[in-house]
Amino acid sequence: MSAEIEVVGSRQAPDDVRIEPYAGAREELRGLFELAEDSPTELDSYLHAGRVLVARSGRDVLGHIQLVDTDRPGQMEIKNMAVREAVQGRGVGSRLVRAALDLAAAEEAHAMVVATAAADIGNLRFYQRQGFRFRSVERDAFGPASGYPPGLEIGGIALRDRVWLDRPVDPESASCTS
């Protein structure tokens, strides 16, 4: 396995954060991907799919967002997204989502979808603040059959169901807050 890219240790997000396409080896970002994915089996199935944008400060990678096409024309999916704990809550995730929406708009997509655990209240709050709305619930999506260890919990809530959210790509169509 490749050495993981160095991360920022400060609780403050640097002023020089920039979002850019990532062209390096995905294995170098695996630790970051694992922040958002508890199943090694699932992660292996999509690690190399789609495109990845990273948030950088200097040479440090603060976070990433992975975008994949769906089977629906004009729709893109946020497959994996994570921001280093040291800079969470500082606007890095919001900037990654905005960059993803800009990329989708440039490619004439009209909708963005994302799935997250129903138990992950923080993620649900984050995505709703980015203008996403609930679309559907996939019951019992997280279990041993899909590579998730039994008994996983998020904040005392059993990891079971997956929630799908969506939003229009057009920034004028949905409100976003940081």
Side-chain angles (χ1 to χ4, degrees):
M1 184 180 277
S2 300
E4 192 172 310
I5 293 174
E6 187 174 335
V7 299
V8 168
S10 166
R11 288 291 302 162
Q12 299 284 330
D15 294 331
D16 67 338
V17 174
R18 65 192 184 286
I19 310 298
E20 60 188 38
Y22 182 75
R26 297 276 174 97
E27 285 298 327
E28 291 179 359
L29 296 179
R30 188 175 185 97
L32 195 54
F33 274 77
E34 289 171 344
L35 292 176
E37 178 60 73
D38 292 316
S39 168
T41 304
E42 284 293 306
L43 181 54
D44 288 343
S45 76
Y46 68 76
L47 179 63
H48 299 285
R51 292 169 282 181
V52 173
L53 302 175
V54 293
R56 287 189 187 267
S57 174
R59 294 181 37 84
D60 298 325
V61 174
L62 307 178
H64 81 286
I65 191 166
Q66 179 187 30
L67 301 171
V68 297
D69 293 325
T70 70
D71 58 358
R72 294 184 180 177
Q75 179 178 278
M76 294 178 86
E77 177 184 349
I78 297 173
K79 187 68 175 173
N80 188 296
M81 180 181 145
V83 173
R84 300 286 179 192
E85 187 175 338
V87 291
Q88 287 179 4
R90 311 285 186 226
V92 174
S94 296
R95 290 188 59 188
L96 284 163
V97 169
R98 279 194 289 275
L101 291 166
D102 289 345
L103 177 64
E107 294 182 3
E108 300 182 5
H110 58 80
M112 183 75 71
V113 298
V114 64
T116 192
D120 198 332
I121 297 164
N123 276 352
L124 293 173
R125 181 176 184 270
F126 171 79
Y127 285 116
Q128 288 179 84
R129 290 186 68 177
Q130 306 312 307
F132 286 83
R133 297 189 60 199
F134 288 90
R135 177 174 161 176
S136 63
V137 176
E138 186 181 343
R139 294 178 65 110
D140 299 316
F142 301 105
S146 51
Y148 295 89
L152 281 180
E153 291 185 350
I154 299 174
I157 302 170
L159 179 63
R160 289 192 298 241
D161 303 329
R162 178 180 289 138
V163 177
W164 286 90
L165 302 99
D166 64 4
R167 68 154 286 167
V169 166
D170 179 8
E172 303 299 318
S173 300
S175 65
C176 287
T177 61
S178 358

